[in-house]
Amino acid sequence: MPAHRIPSTVLHLRGAFESHPDRARPNEPEPEGDIGDPPDRLTDSEKAAWQTIVSESLTGVLCRSDRTALEIASRLL
Protein backbone atom coordinates (compact mmCIF):
# COMPACT_ATOMS: atom_id res chain seq x y z
CA MET A 1 0.00 0.00 0.00
CA PRO A 2 1.45 3.41 -0.91
CA ALA A 3 2.16 6.00 1.74
CA HIS A 4 -0.40 8.74 2.32
CA ARG A 5 0.40 12.10 0.74
CA ILE A 6 1.40 14.74 3.25
CA PRO A 7 -0.29 18.12 2.66
CA SER A 8 1.89 20.80 1.10
CA THR A 9 1.36 23.11 4.05
CA VAL A 10 2.89 20.51 6.39
CA LEU A 11 5.79 19.90 4.02
CA HIS A 12 6.37 23.65 3.77
CA LEU A 13 6.48 23.97 7.57
CA ARG A 14 8.99 21.13 7.72
CA GLY A 15 11.21 22.94 5.19
CA ALA A 16 10.86 20.26 2.52
CA PHE A 17 10.64 22.79 -0.31
CA GLU A 18 13.79 24.69 0.60
CA SER A 19 16.00 22.25 -1.27
CA HIS A 20 13.32 21.04 -3.73
CA PRO A 21 10.86 23.90 -4.50
CA ASP A 22 9.70 22.06 -7.65
CA ARG A 23 7.97 19.42 -5.49
CA ALA A 24 5.29 21.85 -4.28
CA ARG A 25 1.75 21.01 -5.41
CA PRO A 26 0.19 24.36 -6.38
CA ASN A 27 -3.35 23.05 -7.01
CA GLU A 28 -3.86 21.47 -3.61
CA PRO A 29 -7.23 22.45 -2.05
CA GLU A 30 -7.24 25.01 0.75
CA PRO A 31 -9.63 24.80 3.72
CA GLU A 32 -12.39 27.40 3.63
CA GLY A 33 -14.64 28.93 6.24
CA ASP A 34 -14.60 28.90 9.99
CA ILE A 35 -15.92 25.92 11.97
CA GLY A 36 -18.58 28.18 13.47
CA ASP A 37 -20.94 27.58 16.35
CA PRO A 38 -22.42 24.17 17.16
CA PRO A 39 -25.72 23.28 15.45
CA ASP A 40 -28.93 23.91 17.41
CA ARG A 41 -29.90 20.22 17.17
CA LEU A 42 -27.12 19.27 19.65
CA THR A 43 -27.93 18.97 23.34
CA ASP A 44 -26.26 21.28 25.84
CA SER A 45 -23.68 18.65 26.80
CA GLU A 46 -22.94 17.94 23.12
CA LYS A 47 -22.51 21.68 22.50
CA ALA A 48 -20.08 21.78 25.42
CA ALA A 49 -18.16 18.87 23.86
CA TRP A 50 -18.11 20.77 20.53
CA GLN A 51 -16.63 23.83 22.24
CA THR A 52 -14.06 21.69 24.06
CA ILE A 53 -12.89 20.03 20.84
CA VAL A 54 -12.66 23.39 19.05
CA SER A 55 -10.77 25.02 21.92
CA GLU A 56 -8.26 22.15 22.08
CA SER A 57 -7.61 22.19 18.32
CA LEU A 58 -4.91 24.31 16.75
CA THR A 59 -6.10 27.55 15.18
CA GLY A 60 -7.00 27.11 11.52
CA VAL A 61 -7.11 23.32 11.62
CA LEU A 62 -10.88 22.89 11.73
CA CYS A 63 -12.94 24.45 8.94
CA ARG A 64 -16.47 24.37 7.55
CA SER A 65 -15.94 20.99 5.86
CA ASP A 66 -15.21 19.42 9.28
CA ARG A 67 -18.60 20.30 10.80
CA THR A 68 -20.21 16.88 10.22
CA ALA A 69 -17.26 15.00 11.69
CA LEU A 70 -17.13 17.40 14.63
CA GLU A 71 -20.84 16.89 15.26
CA ILE A 72 -20.36 13.12 15.35
CA ALA A 73 -17.35 13.48 17.65
CA SER A 74 -19.34 15.79 19.94
CA ARG A 75 -22.14 13.26 20.22
CA LEU A 76 -19.68 10.46 20.99
CA LEU A 77 -17.76 12.50 23.55
Side-chain angles (χ1 to χ4, degrees), residues 6-47:
I6 299 171
S8 292
T9 52
V10 174
L11 292 173
H12 177 70
L13 291 171
R14 290 181 183 172
F17 300 135
E18 291 176 9
S19 58
H20 299 285
D22 54 312
R23 293 185 181 173
R25 298 183 294 268
N27 297 328
E28 196 167 67
E30 292 289 326
E32 294 181 4
D34 189 26
I35 192 68
D37 294 326
D40 292 334
R41 63 184 164 268
L42 294 179
T43 64
D44 289 340
S45 62
E46 292 168 346
K47 288 179 183 179

Side-chain angles (χ1 to χ4, degrees), residues 59-73:
T59 304
V61 171
L62 296 174
C63 64
R64 184 177 35 191
S65 63
D66 299 315
R67 288 184 61 84
T68 302
L70 185 55
E71 183 176 345
I72 293 168

